[in-house]
Amino acid sequence: MLHIPELLAPAGDMLSLKAAVENGADAVYLGVKKLSARAYAFNFSLDELEQAIDYAHLRGVKVYVTVNTLIKDAEFSEAARTLQSIAAYGADAVIVQDMGLLSFLCELLPELPVHASTQMTVHNTESVRLLEDLGVKRIVLARELSLEAIGSICDNTQAELEVFIHGALCICYSGQCLFSSMIGGRSGNRGYCAQPCRKQYTLKKNGRVVSVQSNFLLSPKDLNTSEILPHLIEAGVSSFKIEGRMKRPEYVAGVVGIYRRLLDRYAADPTGYFVSGEEFRMLEQLFNRGFTHGYLSGKPRVELMDHGVPYNRGVLVGTVRGQSGGGYVSLKLSGSLNVGDGIGFSCGDVGETVTRISYGGKPLTSADKGMIVDLLLSNSVSAGTQVYRTSDTSLLKSMERSFDSQTPVRKVAVRLKLIAIKGKHLELNFQDSDNNIVRIISEYIVEPSQKNPTTKGDMEKQLLKLGNTVFHPVSLEVISDLDIFVPIKELNNIRNNAVQEMDKIRTSKWKRIFERFIFSLPPHQEQNLGKPLLAVSVNTLDGLLSAVDEGADLIYFGDENYRDHTKAKFKEAHDVVFRAGCRIYLTTPSIVWDYEMNELQLLIRQALEVGFHGVLVGNLGVLRLVQQIGCNFIVDHHLNILNHRTVSFFKRLAAEAVVLSAELTLEQISSLSRYGNVECMVHGDLQLMVTENCIVGSLLGGKGNACCMPCRTNNFTIMDEKGFEFPLLMDEHCRTHIFNSRELCLLDDISSFVKAGVRRFRIDARYMGVQKVQAVVAAYRQRINECVSQEAISGLTCRDLSDKYTKGHYFRGVL
């Protein structure tokens, strides 16, 4: 049986909600103030949220509320109360990123369905199954997945799956980005992204600048799946999501309307599916940075990025022929142009609004394709400059008309049955398409006609006056005696009462009643603090030897290039660590696709067979895998552990320890350390982004599908406009890892961490030379020992270890 996925639209405010509903959305997603991953969208207050949910439910549209941000402990009480209000108002589901918040919902608000946000970086079947086991109803998949990967996940789970089909793309895997917070203190994981990916960067190879055509090196094009929509439908997903809660309502109206038309077209004739040129041009005009299918058709390489345009490029409408005098230029039009349109130029990022168009010396309000007109500009442009229409005033007005009318466009089908029998109360039965039934019995008793009888036609005429309501009559049955009299007033009253009652049923049936609970943090657990442990991440035997020799207690062995490892290498690594009385864990990647999972599982089993103590878990799928294997595991910082609920959740899953988010302050860490065994990153290179696309390969890897892999023999960085350089590492799967421009160093503050209850300290030494590993590990070992023995602090400082270093967010925090 043909299944057409739900069309899910963004609603940044009430006008956008109306635009989405009136143009055919099956569901909308919207945010509440402070708890949304689009904190800069208008979002809704709680009072506005209830009105929005009622508006949508009345029209048969579902509402999903986004609470897809990471929650600090200080915010948890407010978040809990907000979630109960969301549930009470009748939201169809809540979209969640934070694992602590998810566990809270499953435990205390099981009535409210949960959708796992794309911010949870769900990209493999095991992750989906773990969330499904927890009771999550729907999972929003990572945007990096291919059609094949999506189809495979669909075939192996019962959970609903949701994918993005249109709008802006993040270059980083969602939920794995620290770039915004590290360079500007605004966390993308908490909804305050500063969009560093849309800024200019210079590529450097082996320390020297590489000349490339344009410098917006991290700026992807916008997703547009209109042409491949049938393939996504056939993959079996449940919901198609349009990005755009920051976009204006006219954009929402236009994009939703086109995709509604395309889905209906496919449903009517799958083999005859097409996208018209007009529809594609309209999508371009509404907003585009260039269009891409993203990763759906496989690795896009150069097709993913537009290194020259990080903003809306619009639609080409003409080319400047030369100056006309008086501030005018002569423009040969390749498309229409109107006074009031927004325009931009190929010569730069300036733009303006069209104020005057002249043709043959006479002013025009609009001009058509093929005309040569004079255009008044405030910017100086030269001959040959291409002119782009970035906003079309006539299109925007037509989109506005689709949702600002007093008469609703979106209608609910109803069937009416009137019973008018002499001597009995007038009765109206009112049934909608969802089988809700209203039975209204009027106080009026039908009378015999004295002069002018009320005919069936008279009664039908009054009952069918539903124009300004959301109801559309599809049938009307009148059962009546002859020669009766029913006043028009009574017919109007019984019709209006039926409409009001149906309104109440359609909006109130989803609401939930709860006893108000008082949320409070659970009591701190008694902890046996014990000796502080020093953990060191390494990826070579030489690095391991140096770390062990200088006093490491725990070794995390491996990195993203896990195929480099063999059972023999694992055995050698284990034996070194065992002789030193340390413990060793296998490091697993933060990104592991399904086709990589079997190979990783084999490596995990090999490591355990030779004596590895456990596994450092980098994503939810690997977590489920190690649970099935039944080994010790530590949860890595990629899983964004920011509050006590998340710490406790992973502790209940039997995690030996959890590595806290790098976006926490020391004060917040002090509180969290009382809920479980926590570890903090204190030294090394912090990963800011992981991207499925190879940045270097897209620029220097050559054309076509094959890349010449310049990353294998060269070192690359990107440099921002302030001169800060961010190292790039390309792994064996051609993913790019971007690291911070400054090395993290907390050597000077270890005593503060010990006082805060932290008993595990992590050095990431995977990308250090052997001598650097020795110096760093030795310095931290000495400092930890001094703190334990309460000796005077001596020895090296951060300035001795790093020329350029940062203390991260531990003392400054993030939005």
Side-chain angles (χ1 to χ4, degrees):
M1 182 177 176
L2 182 64
H3 168 71
I4 300 299
E6 164 192 274
L7 182 58
L8 177 56
D13 56 25
M14 196 64 194
L15 275 180
S16 293
L17 173 64
K18 291 179 179 179
V21 169
E22 294 287 54
N23 283 277
D26 298 308
V28 296
Y29 64 102
L30 49 85
V32 290
K33 297 183 186 295
K34 295 185 179 180
L35 294 175
S36 168
R38 287 291 181 267
Y40 297 120
F42 176 79
N43 290 321
F44 292 78
S45 68
L46 285 179
D47 288 341
E48 292 166 339
L49 177 65
E50 185 171 21
Q51 296 171 18
I53 292 173
D54 287 350
Y55 174 89
H57 280 169
L58 180 59
R59 291 155 178 81
V61 175
K62 294 181 178 180
V63 178
Y64 309 137
V65 181
T66 59
V67 189
N68 55 338
T69 182
L70 297 177
I71 306 295
K72 299 175 183 178
D73 268 354
E75 302 164 338
F76 218 99
S77 179
E78 180 184 1
R81 291 191 296 270
T82 298
L83 283 164
Q84 192 174 47
S85 295
I86 290 169
Y89 295 159
D92 295 273
V94 61
I95 305 171
V96 174
Q97 172 192 7
D98 191 293
M99 284 300 298
L101 208 58
L102 188 151
S103 69
F104 167 83
L105 285 163
C106 294
E107 179 183 344
L108 296 177
L109 280 175
E111 303 89 346
L112 181 59
V114 176
H115 294 179
S117 170
T118 190
Q119 292 284 115
M120 293 187 80
T121 327
V122 179
H123 59 281
N124 54 50
T125 301
E126 292 298 330
S127 295
V128 172
R129 286 174 175 165
L130 183 144
L131 293 169
E132 189 178 4
D133 292 343
L134 292 173
V136 174
K137 182 180 180 182
R138 178 185 293 180
I139 294 95
V140 188
L141 295 176
R143 281 173 272 205
E144 286 77 6
L145 293 175
S146 66
L147 281 165
E148 182 181 2
I150 292 169
S152 175
I153 294 174
C154 286
D155 291 341
N156 289 282
T157 180
Q158 298 300 312
E160 295 178 7
L161 299 177
E162 179 177 301
V163 297
F164 283 89
I165 60 168
H166 197 91
L169 289 169
C170 292
I171 187 61
C172 179
Y173 272 89
S174 293
Q176 300 301 310
C177 184
L178 296 177
F179 212 146
S180 177
S181 68
M182 282 297 168
I183 67 172
R186 292 158 54 181
S187 172
N189 296 325
R190 286 178 40 80
Y192 294 97
C193 181
Q195 292 197 308
C197 53
R198 303 297 182 187
K199 299 183 181 298
Q200 293 195 66
Y201 298 90
T202 300
L203 181 66
K204 298 185 77 173
K205 171 182 172 182
N206 300 325
R208 306 186 70 172
V209 172
V210 178
S211 178
V212 293
Q213 188 172 359
S214 298
N215 288 330
F216 293 99
L217 305 184
L218 304 180
S219 182
K221 298 176 183 177
D222 288 344
L223 181 65
N224 179 345
T225 66
S226 58
E227 294 174 321
I228 60 170
L229 209 59
H231 301 301
L232 270 171
I233 295 171
E234 291 153 14
V237 297
S238 299
S239 181
F240 285 167
K241 188 172 198 171
I242 296 169
E243 183 276 337
R245 279 193 289 142
M246 298 285 288
K247 298 289 200 308
R248 57 193 299 171
E250 293 87 352
Y251 170 89
V252 174
V255 175
V256 171
I258 288 175
Y259 276 95
R260 176 77 277 155
R261 198 182 312 155
L262 296 178
L263 288 172
D264 292 345
R265 183 177 297 158
Y266 178 88
D269 180 13
T271 60
Y273 178 86
F274 68 93
V275 182
S276 71
E278 180 183 357
E279 289 164 339
F280 197 88
R281 284 191 296 273
M282 184 173 166
L283 291 173
E284 284 185 308
Q285 184 61 78
L286 287 165
F287 193 94
N288 83 90
R289 298 182 182 91
F291 282 141
T292 175
H293 294 162
Y295 299 92
L296 291 166
S297 301
K299 287 273 191 179
R301 291 203 63 224
V302 297
E303 289 80 9
L304 180 72
M305 312 294 287
D306 189 331
H307 299 128
V309 182
Y311 44 81
N312 180 24
R313 63 162 57 174
V315 175
L316 180 65
V317 291
T319 305
V320 174
R321 292 163 56 95
Q323 301 294 323
S324 299
Y328 283 86
V329 297
S330 175
L331 180 67
K332 175 68 179 292
L333 290 175
S334 55
S336 62
L337 192 64
N338 309 297
V339 171
D341 287 352
I343 55 174
F345 310 97
S346 59
C347 57
D349 58 359
V350 295
E352 58 183 272
T353 300
V354 175
T355 56
R356 294 183 189 178
I357 303 173
S358 177
Y359 181 71
K362 296 180 179 180
L364 299 177
T365 57
S366 63
D368 296 325
K369 176 181 178 180
M371 296 177 66
I372 299 175
V373 299
D374 291 325
L375 183 67
L376 182 64
L377 296 179
S378 58
N379 292 287
S380 176
V381 295
S382 58
T385 298
Q386 292 181 315
V387 179
Y388 293 83
R389 187 180 58 226
T390 54
S391 68
D392 183 335
T393 182
S394 62
L395 175 60
L396 294 177
K397 287 178 180 177
S398 70
M399 291 299 98
E400 184 180 7
R401 287 193 294 271
S402 74
F403 60 84
D404 72 347
S405 171
Q406 294 300 312
T407 302
V409 176
R410 185 74 168 261
K411 294 283 188 176
V412 177
V414 290
R415 299 178 183 275
L416 294 81
K417 181 180 180 180
L418 181 73
I419 302 173
I421 304 297
K422 291 176 185 176
K424 294 188 176 181
H425 291 275
L426 186 66
E427 180 180 334
L428 178 62
N429 292 318
F430 201 80
Q431 181 177 358
D432 69 9
S433 54
D434 296 320
N435 293 319
N436 297 308
I437 299 174
V438 170
R439 184 178 178 222
I440 304 294
I441 299 177
S442 172
E443 293 182 0
Y444 176 76
I445 298 175
V446 179
E447 301 174 356
S449 171
Q450 299 296 322
K451 185 181 290 186
N452 296 318
T454 304
T455 67
K456 284 189 176 182
D458 294 332
M459 290 185 277
E460 290 173 352
K461 180 179 178 181
Q462 295 306 123
L463 293 174
L464 294 176
K465 289 182 177 180
L466 297 171
N468 288 333
T469 74
V470 299
F471 301 111
H472 169 66
V474 294
S475 71
L476 170 59
E477 180 183 2
V478 176
I479 300 173
S480 66
D481 290 338
L482 298 174
D483 298 324
I484 60 171
F485 175 72
V486 181
I488 290 177
K489 176 183 177 183
E490 296 298 335
L491 292 168
N492 289 341
N493 284 342
I494 201 169
R495 179 201 66 215
N496 293 341
N497 289 340
V499 167
Q500 291 173 10
E501 195 62 29
M502 186 61 79
D503 281 359
K504 289 179 183 177
I505 289 176
R506 290 183 65 82
T507 56
S508 64
K509 67 183 291 186
W510 306 104
K511 296 185 187 295
R512 307 173 181 94
I513 298 175
F514 301 98
E515 290 185 12
R516 178 65 66 179
F517 62 81
I518 299 174
F519 176 82
S520 60
L521 293 173
H524 296 147
Q525 64 179 27
E526 293 295 326
Q527 292 229 179
N528 180 15
L529 295 178
K531 171 190 170 185
L533 300 177
L534 180 59
V536 183
S537 293
V538 294
N539 56 10
T540 65
L541 290 173
D542 287 342
L544 181 148
L545 284 166
S546 297
V548 169
D549 287 345
E550 299 301 334
D553 300 297
L554 310 171
I555 295 293
Y556 301 149
F557 188 71
D559 61 7
E560 306 292 333
N561 295 319
Y562 56 84
R563 287 177 177 168
D564 290 344
H565 302 311
T566 63
K567 190 173 183 179
K569 184 182 288 188
F570 287 156
K571 181 69 168 62
E572 188 175 355
H574 167 265
D575 290 348
V576 170
V577 171
F578 179 77
R579 286 193 294 269
C582 305
R583 297 202 301 267
I584 185 169
Y585 300 77
L586 179 66
T587 299
T588 60
S590 59
I591 306 299
V592 184
W593 279 33
D594 277 350
Y595 73 88
E596 304 164 321
M597 195 66 80
N598 286 340
E599 186 175 7
L600 179 61
Q601 181 177 3
L602 176 62
L603 287 170
I604 291 172
R605 292 187 182 277
Q606 288 178 344
L608 295 173
E609 286 171 7
V610 302
F612 274 52
H613 186 74
V615 176
L616 182 64
V617 168
N619 70 68
L620 291 176
V622 176
L623 172 57
R624 188 173 190 272
L625 182 65
V626 299
Q627 282 184 306
Q628 292 172 326
I629 293 173
C631 64
N632 298 315
F633 66 93
I634 298 167
V635 177
D636 210 350
H637 61 87
H638 301 294
L639 275 74
N640 292 323
I641 300 165
L642 209 77
N643 56 60
H644 75 283
R645 268 273 171 182
T646 310
V647 173
S648 299
F649 170 77
F650 287 120
K651 183 180 178 182
R652 288 197 303 273
L653 293 185
E656 178 184 317
V658 296
V659 186
L660 297 178
S661 166
E663 294 188 324
L664 287 165
T665 65
L666 181 58
E667 181 180 0
Q668 292 161 345
I669 290 168
S670 177
S671 174
L672 295 184
S673 68
R674 305 175 191 181
Y675 293 99
N677 197 8
V678 301
E679 178 174 303
C680 291
M681 183 79 73
V682 293
H683 199 102
D685 296 316
L686 278 178
Q687 179 177 288
L688 302 185
M689 278 187 177
V690 53
T691 81
E692 186 65 25
N693 191 53
C694 178
I695 295 170
V696 171
S698 68
L699 290 166
L700 307 178
K703 297 181 179 179
N705 294 325
C707 177
C708 65
M709 297 187 175
C711 60
R712 296 298 169 91
T713 54
N714 301 282
N715 295 317
F716 291 92
T717 62
I718 55 172
M719 183 173 66
D720 69 10
E721 293 166 316
K722 295 181 179 180
F724 292 104
E725 290 191 40
F726 303 89
L728 306 181
L729 173 69
M730 279 60 71
D731 66 28
E732 62 191 3
H733 300 289
C734 296
R735 297 176 186 123
T736 300
H737 303 260
I738 305 177
F739 293 89
N740 199 16
S741 60
R742 296 288 185 267
E743 186 177 50
L744 181 69
C745 183
L746 275 300
L747 180 66
D748 304 339
D749 304 283
I750 290 299
S751 61
S752 297
F753 280 82
V754 173
K755 290 175 184 177
V758 178
R759 287 301 179 268
R760 296 173 75 113
F761 299 93
R762 167 104 158 263
I763 296 169
D764 192 336
R766 289 176 294 177
Y767 312 112
M768 298 178 187
V770 171
Q771 291 183 341
K772 179 72 177 285
V773 174
Q774 291 172 335
V776 170
V777 175
Y780 279 89
R781 179 75 277 165
Q782 179 181 349
R783 187 58 42 84
I784 291 170
N785 291 342
E786 290 170 346
C787 291
V788 172
S789 62
Q790 298 184 343
E791 297 176 9
I793 300 300
S794 60
L796 301 176
T797 67
C798 283
R799 292 190 181 279
D800 297 310
L801 296 179
S802 301
D803 293 334
K804 300 174 182 178
Y805 69 93
T806 176
K807 295 188 178 184
H809 293 302
Y810 290 122
F811 298 98
R812 66 178 184 178
V814 296
L815 283 176

